[in-house]
Amino acid sequence: MDFRPTEEQELLRRAVREFAEAEIGPHVMEWDESQHFPMELLPKLAALGLAGIQFGEEYGGSAMSAVEYCICIEELARVCPAIALSVAAHNGLCTSHIAMFGNEAQKAEFLPRLVRGEVLGAWGLTEAGAGSDAASMRTSATRQGQCWALNGSKSFITHGSIGGVMVVMAVTDRGKGHRGISSFVLEHGTPGMRAGKKENKLGMRASDTSEVVFEDCRIPATRLLGEEGQGFINTLQVLDAGRIGIAALSVGLAQGAYEAALKYAKERRQFGQPIAAFQAIQWKLADNATRIEAARLLTYRAAYLKDRGERTTRESSMAKLFASEIAVKAADDCVQIHGGYGFVKDYPAEKYFRDVKLVTIGEGTSEIQRLVIARQLLGQ
Ligand SMILES: Cc1cc2nc3c(=O)[nH]c(=O)nc-3n(C[C@H](O)[C@H](O)[C@H](O)COP(=O)(O)OP(=O)(O)OC[C@H]3O[C@@H](n4cnc5c(N)ncnc54)[C@H](O)[C@@H]3O)c2cc1C
């Protein structure tokens, strides 16, 4: 057992940190206020290998490990959780689904453009009436000769309005329950597909979240991803990996909030001394630093097991559950340590506090993570 990162991993952390601080840091509030995902950042992310973190070099990817993926997402989230969310959705959901379940022709067609950052990826599972109970989706795909016709709509889709490629789950045989769901890959702009309402969000505002509507949207039969009827089962495997990414995002966000609180506690003086001299403040800092370390270890362990090719359903959910909940606490304490200044936009505290709520909701709520863990424990 060796808990130390390798020299290459330390260099990677430093490179992503420097990039995030230089290229993202100065614009965080501007992008948040305008709810604008900076498409101009995409080539820069790609140049650093962040548009294709875990994908093969034959597609132009960086072929990094799951542990290294965590380092990248963590460092982006430390500076801007919204950009980290977009990078995680692009890599960990859309591109990952195609890499895991696409055939050679589909991978050759879609992966290079995604990995080179020419287009952003979107992944559509959730619907207005089917969130945690995703298998109750209504969107359908009906076979018509050499085509599939998609009808329905997907809600809360990251890059729903700006994504160039989308993976979408739809019912192909309603009589078969979750075994009647299949996944498809299509280009944005396919006739019959359009972006619906763009959400006006509490946090993660620089990451686009939109509805996607399908009205008799015809795609070639070759756009079926994986086997017919396996879409939902494949989705659960994508989420096993995706949740490690959200755990890493939570760790990075918590780290950013903790560092902001530590800095402020040393600078702010009350009763003739820095507030960091008060034990009440010190305990908050100590508890957060400890919880962040614990969350990081759980997250890296899940990633390490994934790198060894093991199934990580339980470990991914444990990491996501714990890291997201300690991140909420870290962001809350960050505001508290800033006092009134935590409530205004001149300091980073309020943005961490708004962004953090997504991590206990996206890619399965905390309640659903507990349900997944309990099922694993009970052998169900
Ligand atoms: C910013 C953002 C980005 C997103 N990006 C994507 C994306 O790219 N692609 C995508 O497909 N989806 C995306 N989502 C959707 C997200 O995954 C869902 O919001 C999430 O899974 C919860 O579904 P819901 O919102 O319908 O909540 P619901 O399922 O309606 O849950 C409401 C409450 O009930 C609880 N609950 C539900 N079922 C149970 C149960 N069995 N036991 C106990 N409690 C339960 C939940 O935990 C929650 O507290 C995104 C959401 C947001 C906010």
Side-chain angles (χ1 to χ4, degrees):
M1 198 176 284
D2 187 350
F3 292 99
R4 290 168 304 177
T6 63
E7 209 172 301
E8 290 77 35
Q9 288 167 345
E10 286 291 8
L11 284 173
L12 173 69
R13 182 182 294 284
R14 207 173 312 147
V16 181
R17 179 170 293 201
E18 281 169 11
F19 170 81
E21 287 178 348
E23 300 287 343
I24 300 173
H27 308 287
V28 166
M29 287 314 288
E30 165 200 332
W31 295 337
D32 180 76
E33 291 277 311
S34 60
Q35 295 212 74
H36 165 71
F37 178 84
M39 288 304 266
E40 64 276 15
L41 191 67
L42 201 46
K44 295 180 185 174
L45 288 165
L48 206 59
L50 300 179
I53 302 175
Q54 288 187 81
F55 309 104
E57 283 163 354
E58 66 274 31
Y59 303 110
S62 313
M64 290 193 223
S65 66
V67 170
E68 287 152 1
Y69 177 70
C70 288
I71 292 171
C72 297
I73 299 296
E74 204 184 315
E75 288 302 323
L76 292 174
R78 177 179 162 272
V79 173
C80 183
I83 298 299
L85 180 67
S86 274
V87 172
H90 168 86
N91 278 274
L93 296 177
C94 174
T95 314
S96 187
H97 197 130
I98 299 168
M100 285 166 80
F101 301 108
N103 59 34
E104 280 313 317
Q106 290 165 336
K107 288 197 253 188
E109 184 177 357
F110 292 102
L111 289 184
R113 279 184 294 148
L114 287 160
V115 158
R116 287 199 297 260
E118 290 170 16
V119 287
L120 267 177
W123 189 78
L125 176 68
T126 306
E127 298 183 0
S132 300
D133 182 14
S136 67
M137 68 179 65
R138 305 302 302 167
T139 297
S140 64
T142 314
R143 186 71 189 253
Q144 295 179 352
Q146 286 310 302
C147 293
W148 290 95
L150 293 169
N151 281 288
S153 66
K154 295 287 171 181
S155 306
F156 291 129
I157 304 308
T158 303
H159 311 145
S161 69
I162 59 172
V165 169
M166 183 173 184
V167 170
V168 62
M169 273 50 77
V171 177
T172 44
D173 187 340
R174 207 164 292 285
K176 289 192 177 160
H178 75 271
R179 291 190 181 277
I181 292 171
S182 305
S183 43
F184 301 87
V185 57
L186 71 163
E187 309 264 357
H188 214 287
T190 304
M193 173 193 190
R194 63 179 169 85
K197 180 182 167 227
K198 177 177 159 124
E199 301 299 344
N200 184 1
K201 306 199 295 289
L202 166 74
M204 300 290 196
R205 289 166 57 88
S207 178
D208 170 64
T209 312
S210 304
E211 185 189 21
V212 181
V213 181
F214 301 98
E215 288 158 332
D216 203 23
C217 173
R218 284 160 197 269
I219 53 173
T222 51
R223 294 295 171 83
L224 174 72
L225 263 183
E227 282 176 43
E228 189 178 337
Q230 289 291 304
F232 192 72
I233 293 143
N234 294 348
T235 288
L236 297 183
Q237 288 169 266
V238 171
L239 285 172
D240 276 352
R243 284 170 182 163
I244 303 176
I246 301 298
L249 196 161
S250 306
V251 170
L253 191 159
Q255 180 72 33
Y258 158 77
E259 286 177 21
L262 180 68
K263 179 170 180 283
Y264 187 79
K266 289 191 208 164
E267 290 166 3
R268 174 70 173 168
R269 296 179 71 85
Q270 288 293 281
F271 299 97
Q273 51 192 325
I275 59 169
F278 303 130
Q279 196 178 49
I281 302 292
Q282 290 174 3
W283 285 18
K284 281 189 179 46
L285 294 169
D287 285 348
N288 280 305
T290 307
R291 285 191 290 253
I292 292 167
E293 282 302 322
R296 187 175 281 120
L297 286 173
L298 268 183
T299 303
Y300 288 4
R301 177 166 166 269
Y304 164 81
L305 293 173
K306 178 176 183 287
D307 282 333
R308 288 168 55 111
E310 293 185 27
R311 189 85 195 259
T312 62
T313 305
R314 187 178 73 161
E315 290 78 8
S316 297
S317 283
M318 284 180 168
K320 201 263 183 189
L321 171 64
F322 185 76
S324 64
E325 297 206 335
I326 70 103
V328 171
K329 185 69 181 128
D332 186 13
D333 283 349
C334 179
V335 173
Q336 193 66 20
I337 289 173
H338 279 74
Y341 297 94
F343 210 68
V344 297
K345 291 181 186 285
D346 300 342
Y347 288 85
E350 68 86 33
K351 181 168 181 296
Y352 287 122
F353 188 75
R354 287 186 288 107
D355 285 348
V356 79
K357 200 58 203 125
L358 184 271
V359 293
T360 62
I361 295 170
E363 296 199 29
T365 62
S366 285
E367 290 77 8
I368 294 304
Q369 303 311 320
R370 288 189 170 89
L371 191 140
V372 170
I373 296 164
R375 278 187 186 151
Q376 293 285 313
L377 299 178
L378 295 166
Q380 291 172 346

